[in-house]
Amino acid sequence: MRPTMRRSTEPRRRWAAALGVTALVVTGGGLLGGPAQAAATASVEVDFPTHCIPPPIAGIPPIDGTTTARITVDNTTPQVGDTVAVTYTVVVPAASNPVDLALPADIMTPTGEVTLGGAQSGDVTVTGPKKNPPVPGKGAFPSFSMTGTFTVTAPGAITLSPGDYNIHTSYIMELDTPCTVTGPPAPVSETVVATGGGQVNERTVRLSAASGAAGDEVTVTGTKFTPGAGITVAGRDGDAQTGDTARATADGSGAFTVRLAVSDPDTTGIVAYEGGAWDAEKGAGPLAYTVTGGGGIPDGSQRLTTTVRAGTLAMTQAGDSVQLSGVDFGRGGASTGDLRTVTVEDFRGGPAGWSLTGKVTDFKGPGGARISADALDWTPSCATKPGSPSTCAAGSAGSVGSAGATLASTPDGAATGGEFTVDAGLSLDVPAFTGAGSYAGVLTLTLT
């Protein structure tokens, strides 16, 4: 008998929300909103199909669900040149917590885009605070809001639709779950009607992240600044500028890119401007930014950092063939042997457990003779290497068969991982008067 090993290609669904993973369970499909109106209208909730990609460490495939959202503004009748504040509220995310482990409060930082249409096109970047209530096991993810601004550049009806959004979680690991609109744009949720006005400031600024640990760098990009102008990128605390600054020069098209190290724990936003001081007419922002972790370094001290890289879930075997004991023609009985030892290494560093299963083919012999796969029994055993966070559990003794059975597993938990050795006693029940000759079957083991 020749066991073969392969990695599972089936979607893995056993994982824990304790990673900070925004665990996604699809809600039912909803109705799409109607077409935009040609006049200012009251904000309405809209449903739209959403395609979400969980973090790779979650081990599950993309999820297609439905998001319910609402867009509101602080001014539905602005003039050209006015700045309009936009709030994007995800009323019902396309997700819920699928496991029994709870998520703590204040670990989720959302970011997103609002799509403009009609008289003005483009995207408005919106960000939300790092704030959420605790999420119980198997509980629904909470509603969250994100805010941003845009400058009105043309008169007429401007429609606002919810766009892509991302949930960044900071719990055990820093992880992202991006969700994109399927078949954009999403239905219109708000419409504003702009009239002619004064000079327009079209400068925009974007951030590569909405949060980071003290000292982390964020990439800041700007567009439509004065070509060749010197640009100051700075942290803001309300109306005051913090100590986090960087300098850049706009290129021939008025664009720039610069990396800003954010160390001041008071920084709550980031702006970019021309000239020696902040000027709303020659700048853009602020965009919300949250500093996570501690503040400054005391005099005479040095901050030391390191990174623990997450590994993989893998297995190896001590051989690829097992010779079972022979039986006599006419008598039949148990043909026995031992599975080649399997070593499982779980170095992912997350809360997900694993399962090792096996299934076997019929045993084929001379002249088309067969012994059924259901005739193979095993008695599993599993040992855990000392110091491993998880404890391995052996599967139940019994038939393996073509449908398969569990050889060993570890449960989900707040912290999992380790090294394990898995064995099994094998016994093939050979019927009496089975044709003489050699019989072979293939036992396939799958680790998920």
Side-chain angles (χ1 to χ4, degrees):
M1 183 180 68
R2 179 179 298 273
T4 62
M5 302 287 188
R6 67 178 175 86
R7 295 283 183 87
S8 173
T9 58
E10 299 176 357
R12 172 171 172 73
R13 301 187 181 276
R14 300 191 327 108
W15 61 297
L19 268 176
V21 175
T22 53
L24 304 178
V25 170
V26 181
T27 60
L31 297 176
L32 298 181
Q37 301 298 312
T41 59
S43 171
V44 296
E45 288 185 4
V46 295
D47 294 337
F48 56 94
T50 312
H51 181 73
C52 300
I53 302 176
I57 197 170
I60 63 174
I63 303 297
D64 293 296
T66 300
T67 298
T68 300
R70 179 192 294 271
I71 306 296
T72 57
V73 297
D74 67 340
N75 184 3
T76 59
T77 56
Q79 289 190 326
V80 173
D82 285 352
T83 297
V84 177
V86 180
T87 300
Y88 178 176
T89 300
V90 176
V91 181
V92 181
S96 63
N97 185 354
V99 297
D100 294 325
L101 295 175
L103 285 172
D106 302 336
I107 66 163
M108 297 166 56
T109 305
T111 57
E113 303 282 347
V114 173
T115 301
L116 302 180
Q120 185 172 336
S121 62
D123 293 314
V124 180
T125 299
V126 289
T127 60
K130 186 179 180 182
K131 186 173 181 63
N132 62 274
V135 182
K138 300 294 178 69
F141 277 100
S143 171
F144 54 84
S145 294
M146 304 166 286
T147 59
T149 61
F150 75 96
T151 300
V152 178
T153 61
I158 304 171
T159 62
L160 294 90
S161 301
D164 303 342
Y165 62 91
N166 178 72
I167 300 175
H168 179 82
T169 54
S170 303
Y171 182 54
I172 301 180
M173 288 183 172
E174 302 290 329
L175 299 172
D176 290 286
T177 300
C179 295
T180 57
V181 179
T182 303
V188 172
S189 176
E190 177 71 289
T191 302
V192 302
V193 176
T195 56
Q199 186 175 358
V200 177
N201 176 10
E202 296 186 76
R203 296 170 180 85
T204 62
V205 67
R206 299 172 72 114
L207 307 179
S208 62
S211 65
D216 283 357
E217 290 186 336
V218 59
T219 300
V220 183
T221 57
T223 59
K224 297 189 178 181
F225 283 73
T226 302
I231 309 297
T232 298
V233 176
R236 299 279 290 184
D237 178 16
D239 294 331
Q241 184 165 306
T242 67
D244 300 322
T245 61
R247 294 285 297 172
T249 300
D251 63 18
S253 68
F256 71 88
T257 299
V258 68
R259 294 185 66 80
L260 174 68
V262 184
S263 301
D264 193 325
D266 292 331
T267 293
T268 58
I270 294 174
V271 298
Y273 56 87
E274 301 174 20
W278 166 251
D279 182 349
E281 297 300 320
K282 294 185 178 181
L287 295 183
Y289 188 86
T290 301
V291 179
T292 60
I297 303 297
D299 292 341
S301 300
Q302 299 180 27
R303 175 182 284 123
L304 307 180
T305 62
T306 188
T307 300
V308 177
R309 293 185 295 271
T312 60
L313 175 65
M315 65 178 177
T316 58
Q317 59 181 353
D320 63 0
S321 63
V322 177
Q323 180 62 57
L324 301 179
S325 62
V327 297
D328 295 330
F329 175 77
R331 297 184 180 275
S335 175
T336 61
D338 294 312
L339 182 73
R340 296 287 190 177
T341 298
V342 178
T343 300
V344 176
E345 294 180 339
D346 184 2
F347 294 158
R348 294 169 295 173
W354 54 264
S355 178
L356 180 60
T357 59
K359 59 183 179 181
V360 68
T361 65
D362 288 345
F363 289 73
K364 298 179 181 179
R370 291 175 178 261
I371 301 174
S372 171
D374 294 334
L376 181 69
D377 287 0
W378 64 14
T379 304
S381 62
C382 187
T384 301
K385 183 177 180 178
S388 297
S390 298
T391 299
C392 181
S396 300
S399 175
V400 180
S402 58
T406 299
L407 180 59
S409 64
T410 62
D412 294 341
T416 63
E419 297 182 63
F420 316 89
T421 55
V422 183
D423 294 284
L426 303 174
S427 179
L428 180 66
D429 184 15
V430 181
F433 299 105
T434 296
S438 178
Y439 290 75
V442 177
L443 174 64
T444 299
L445 300 179
T446 300
L447 179 63
T448 61

